[in-house]
Amino acid sequence: MKVRTRSSAIIATISLVACLALTTASAEEPAAPPRAAKVALTKVATAKNPTAGAAGPGGTVWIAERAGTVRVLDAKGLGEPVLDISAETTTDGERGLLGVAFDKKFAHFYISFTNLEGTSTVDEFAVRHGKIRPDTRRTVLTQTQPYANHNGGDIKFGPDGYLYIAFGDGGSGGDPHGNGQNLDTLLGKLLRIDPRGAEPYAIPKDNPFVGDPKAKDEIWSYGLRNPWRFSFDARTGDLLIGDVGQSAWEEIDWAPASSEGGENYGWSQMEGNHPFRDGTEPANHVRPVHEYDRTGLGCSVTGGYVYRGKAIPDLRGQYVFSDYCDGTVRALQMEDGKVTGTSDLGVNGGEVISFVQGGKGELYVLDIGGSVSRIDPA
């Protein structure tokens, strides 16, 4: 959840040796830039303040609503709630039911929410025959939040089968507690745990800070302000994070599937590629692959997914994202972790709070006002 505020191709060249200068070497000519994808938004349902979603069993898409309900979207539309924790959550500030995820076998369903005290909580339910078993509920992890904003809350299973959890820096403004660069707190971090490895969870032995007495073993990467939405490329396994900026710069961070973790994305010494206030760039700062300023209408990046569906071939392999305040759906063309082009897809999703990737790779856009729309070919 983000508070609405208004602040506002590469052409490769190939050198040919002199003896081939007069030959027709079409195979060596620069590749044409990808065609701009033509897309449309098709409204498929109306939810009550949808915040997150996940691909579910049987080709369904499960949609989380901020107040604490989960509903299933299928060919018939959006059904009645299959889970309701609205008596247990709070929606002040940027809180509520903020994330949902299934494990790879759809055997367990996870929710990320803030409880009545504002504590970030990740709970697990067993799933049988595509239905939640409420009697199996257990709490996996909790984190006290000092403020009602920058709670993060996104959860995803990585290609390694572990659960990744995003926490913002705890809130207020300017990271007053220095959580982003402090390895002795889970705030301002991306975590990596094994929820089924022990009670309440196990820590993977290859997490980057295991054994460091000055760091939390759960940490995978740090230096994040509010990593509201992150995702893994379904084909490559690369990680992309949309990290909401403070007042000037919005950023998208990237890590390859081969990463061993430990990336420092710079906050609160840096905001994007720029020193924040009197900050000094850390020596191990991993700079964003993309940033944009707030001179336009954008104010809060909403991270999305690399498109791996089949319906829109010209969009395949591009990272689709938006901004909560601007609503324009955009895409980044990327190669080996470098942005080679950007495009405005020509559609507006409203107050875009999240994207959802369906089981076949097609993408949905969630507008906090209620619209659930699918990105279709125009």
Side-chain angles (χ1 to χ4, degrees):
M1 209 71 50
K2 292 165 283 185
V3 177
R4 178 173 181 142
T5 58
R6 310 275 308 193
S7 320
S8 59
I10 292 178
I11 302 176
T13 59
I14 302 174
S15 297
L16 301 178
V17 294
C19 63
L20 296 178
L22 299 178
T23 65
T24 57
S26 60
E28 298 181 34
E29 291 176 357
R35 291 184 297 175
K38 296 181 179 180
V39 307
L41 291 183
T42 303
K43 186 175 180 179
V44 295
T46 299
K48 187 175 181 180
N49 303 131
T51 51
T60 59
V61 173
W62 290 41
I63 302 294
E65 297 173 314
R66 184 185 182 190
T69 47
V70 177
R71 301 167 69 186
V72 178
L73 177 66
D74 57 21
K76 298 179 181 179
L78 198 60
E80 293 299 313
V82 295
L83 181 67
D84 186 348
I85 62 161
S86 55
E88 306 172 43
T89 191
T90 178
T91 56
D92 61 311
E94 298 174 6
R95 293 169 168 167
L97 177 55
L98 305 178
V100 292
F102 281 96
D103 61 15
K104 288 187 176 181
K105 295 182 178 181
F106 301 112
H108 297 91
F109 181 65
Y110 296 82
I111 60 174
S112 172
F113 67 100
T114 50
N115 67 16
L116 295 176
E117 288 73 44
T119 298
S120 290
T121 305
V122 177
D123 280 3
E124 174 196 270
F125 297 84
V127 177
R128 187 175 184 181
H129 303 309
K131 296 183 178 180
I132 292 174
R133 296 176 56 194
D135 60 316
T136 65
R137 182 179 181 179
R138 72 181 185 92
T139 294
V140 177
L141 181 146
T142 62
Q143 171 61 49
T144 302
Q145 294 286 353
Y147 305 99
N149 61 335
H150 305 180
N151 292 172
D154 202 7
I155 52 176
K156 295 282 192 306
F157 275 88
D160 52 15
Y162 293 129
L163 180 63
Y164 290 73
I165 303 167
F167 283 140
D169 64 9
S172 188
D175 195 10
H177 302 292
N179 291 325
Q181 293 297 307
N182 180 7
L183 294 175
D184 195 30
T185 176
L186 302 183
L187 296 173
K189 312 297 188 298
L190 185 66
L191 314 182
R192 179 182 185 242
I193 64 170
D194 180 359
R196 302 295 300 165
E199 285 282 351
Y201 60 87
I203 295 172
K205 295 180 180 179
D206 59 346
N207 271 11
F209 299 105
V210 168
D212 184 342
K214 297 181 180 179
K216 297 290 187 183
D217 292 345
E218 294 91 340
I219 296 172
W220 179 252
S221 56
Y222 65 107
L224 294 162
R225 181 179 178 273
N226 193 23
W228 173 247
R229 291 291 173 247
F230 70 93
S231 65
F232 294 93
D233 185 331
R235 186 178 71 81
T236 67
D238 296 345
L239 168 68
L240 291 118
I241 305 170
D243 194 18
V244 180
Q246 171 74 31
S247 57
W249 296 94
E250 302 298 313
E251 70 179 84
I252 294 170
D253 300 307
W254 175 88
S258 60
S259 169
E260 297 180 352
E263 287 87 359
N264 178 4
Y265 295 111
W267 179 256
S268 58
Q269 294 296 305
M270 303 290 290
E271 185 181 9
N273 289 311
H274 314 271
F276 178 69
R277 295 177 179 167
D278 295 323
T280 300
E281 184 171 17
N284 63 341
H285 179 216
V286 177
R287 291 194 163 207
V289 294
H290 181 69
E291 65 173 16
Y292 61 93
D293 63 32
R294 292 186 174 184
T295 56
L297 297 177
C299 77
S300 184
V301 64
T302 299
Y305 290 85
V306 175
Y307 178 73
R308 294 297 179 188
K310 295 182 179 179
I312 315 169
D314 288 339
L315 190 60
R316 201 170 298 145
Q318 298 183 40
Y319 178 71
V320 179
F321 69 102
S322 188
D323 186 286
Y324 177 70
C325 297
D326 174 65
T328 302
V329 180
R330 295 183 168 87
L332 302 180
Q333 296 101 40
M334 297 183 62
E335 185 174 344
D336 298 326
K338 296 184 183 301
V339 173
T340 59
T342 63
S343 59
D344 178 338
L345 295 181
V347 293
N348 192 293
E351 294 176 315
V352 179
I353 198 75
S354 190
F355 290 82
V356 185
Q357 186 178 55
K360 294 184 178 180
E362 303 305 330
L363 298 183
Y364 297 79
V365 181
L366 304 186
D367 176 350
I368 190 62
S371 295
V372 179
S373 302
R374 187 179 58 240
I375 302 179
D376 286 338

